[in-house]
């Protein structure tokens, strides 16, 4: 989280180029990560068609005093999606791009989305509780009245989840540290090197990541949130799957009626030589003209063939009319 800043220029274009470059190298493009980056960027840029309906920055600052006093859930949630300047936005979105690609590719989009929702709510809630707790002590710097925005609390939580099972080492601002302690090292270094950052916001994110891992390991069975979201996603995607089956169905294969079999015989059907209708293998009589097949149900017998050759078109029409009305 950041407590202040000014808008720069041109850095959003660099973010777009970096995101396109990273996604271009991937076989599977993580959609939820791209959606999160797009949402944060749109909220910062505030295009004209969205400006009338979007809250302003002053309406969403994360301020524990105002959240508790007014029971303002808008500040509690939306403050994580707003940024004070282009450097703040671009730094957070590049971090989200790197972490999101790895986590979403490993977890799947649905589970990743539920994790992000949980980490966002938990990190903001824990930060609020920490500020309320510190109010009991007489601090010169009043965390309870601090203003902050930004996605970095969730990013700290994602880093905890990403490195939770790692035994390797990673670099944090030039220092090599054990990967599973990278979030704690970054918390200390950023607080010392970068002025105007929210210590409680970052700490709340780390504690949210630890809490999420504990709850995930403690529960048994399928996460009900994941199950619900998979059901909703399956329902919403049904029309696309239906159209895909109609429009993109390959032309090769079995064609019922007066058609041909491409690439040889198709198992489970036999073609009538009298009318070329394809019948199920369980049927010994052509459902269209009444000609018989042999015992294996795939080719007509010689007798039926000779008989079918002598059938005139008018007799074949009469048989169809008599059979199907």
């Amino acid at each position: 989280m950041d407590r202040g800043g000014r808008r720069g220029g041109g850095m959003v274009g660099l973010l777009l180029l970096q995101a396109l470059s990273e996604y271009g190298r991937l076989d599977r493009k993580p959609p939820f990560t791209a959606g999160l980056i797009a949402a944060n960027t749109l909220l910062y840029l505030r295009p004209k068609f969205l400006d009338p309906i979007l809250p302003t920055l002053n309406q969403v600052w994360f301020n524990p005093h105002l959240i508790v006093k007014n029971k303002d859930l808008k500040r509690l949630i939306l403050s994580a999606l707003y940024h004070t300047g282009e450097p703040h936005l671009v730094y957070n979105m590049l971090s989200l791009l790197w972490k999101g690609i790895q986590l979403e590719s490993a977890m799947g989009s649905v589970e990743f989305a539920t994790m992000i929702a949980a980490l966002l709510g938990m990190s903001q809630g824990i930060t609020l509780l920490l500020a309320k707790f510190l109010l009991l002590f007489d601090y010169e710097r009043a965390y309870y009245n601090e203003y902050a925005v930004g996605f970095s609390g969730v990013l700290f939580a994602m880093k905890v989840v990403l490195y939770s099972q790692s035994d390797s080492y990673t670099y944090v601002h030039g220092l090599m540290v054990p990967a599973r302690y990278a979030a704690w090292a970054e918390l200390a270094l950023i607080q010392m090197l970068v002025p105007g950052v929210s210590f409680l916001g970052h700490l709340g994110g780390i504690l949210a990541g630890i809490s999420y891992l504990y709850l995930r390991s403690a529960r048994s069975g399928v996460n009900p949130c994941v199950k619900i979201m998979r059901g909703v996603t399956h329902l919403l995607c049904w029309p696309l799957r239906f159209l895909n089956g109609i429009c993109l169905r390959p032309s090769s294969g079995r064609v019922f009626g007066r058609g041909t079999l491409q690439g040889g015989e198709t198992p489970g059907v036999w073609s009538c030589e009298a009318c070329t209708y394809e019948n199920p293998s369980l049927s010994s009589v052509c459902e269209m003209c009444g000609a018989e097949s042999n015992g294996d149900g795939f080719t007509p017998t010689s007798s039926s063939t000779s008989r079918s050759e002598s059938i005139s078109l008018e007799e074949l029409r009469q048989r169809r009319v008599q059979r199907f009305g």
Side-chain angles (χ1 to χ4, degrees), residues 62-72 75-76 128:
F62 184 92
N63 180 269
H65 171 68
L66 294 178
I67 292 173
V68 174
K69 178 183 177 181
N70 302 323
K71 298 180 175 59
D72 195 346
R75 291 181 181 272
L76 183 67
L128 181 63

Side-chain angles (χ1 to χ4, degrees), residues 32-33 35-37 40 77 80-81 96 99-101 103-104 107-124 151 153-159 161 208 212 223 226 229:
F32 192 77
T33 298
L36 270 179
I37 295 173
N40 280 268
I77 302 300
L81 305 177
L96 173 60
K99 297 180 179 71
I101 287 175
L103 288 171
E104 187 172 357
M107 303 171 67
S109 297
V110 174
E111 187 172 356
F112 177 73
T114 59
M115 182 194 73
I116 292 297
L119 293 179
L120 192 153
M122 292 170 66
S123 63
Q124 299 290 86
F151 204 71
V154 182
L155 294 174
F156 270 87
M158 291 173 64
K159 177 169 284 191
V161 175
Y212 175 82
N223 186 347
V226 174
M229 288 195 65

Side-chain angles (χ1 to χ4, degrees), residues 80-235:
L81 305 177
Y82 279 66
H83 294 81
T84 57
E86 284 193 0
H88 186 207
L89 171 73
V90 171
Y91 181 84
N92 279 354
M93 293 304 100
L94 289 177
S95 180
L96 173 60
L97 176 67
W98 183 75
K99 297 180 179 71
I101 287 175
Q102 297 183 75
L103 288 171
E104 187 172 357
S105 299
M107 303 171 67
S109 297
V110 174
E111 187 172 356
F112 177 73
T114 59
M115 182 194 73
I116 292 297
L119 293 179
L120 192 153
M122 292 170 66
S123 63
Q124 299 290 86
I126 291 175
T127 302
L128 181 63
L129 292 176
L130 288 173
K132 186 70 174 177
F133 174 74
L134 292 176
L135 189 63
L136 301 175
F137 302 91
D138 187 16
Y139 273 84
E140 294 182 2
R141 179 180 175 183
Y143 289 102
Y144 195 64
N145 292 305
E146 181 180 83
Y147 288 84
V149 289
F151 204 71
S152 52
V154 182
L155 294 174
F156 270 87
M158 291 173 64
K159 177 169 284 191
V160 172
V161 175
L162 180 63
Y163 289 137
S164 60
Q165 302 297 325
S166 176
D167 293 325
S168 62
Y169 286 78
T170 187
Y171 284 95
V172 177
H173 297 284
L175 297 178
M176 181 178 286
V177 297
R180 62 177 59 193
Y181 302 117
W184 292 104
E186 187 173 3
L187 173 67
L189 289 173
I190 285 183
Q191 196 64 30
M192 291 187 296
L193 301 176
V194 183
V197 297
S198 173
F199 174 75
L200 282 191
H202 295 167
L203 178 61
I206 294 177
L207 297 179
I210 295 173
S211 301
Y212 175 82
L213 291 172
Y214 174 78
L215 293 174
R216 190 176 68 173
S217 62
R219 73 168 186 260
S220 58
V222 181
N223 186 347
C225 295
V226 174
K227 197 171 183 180
I228 292 172
M229 288 195 65
R230 282 177 179 167
V232 172
T233 304
H234 183 80
L235 180 64

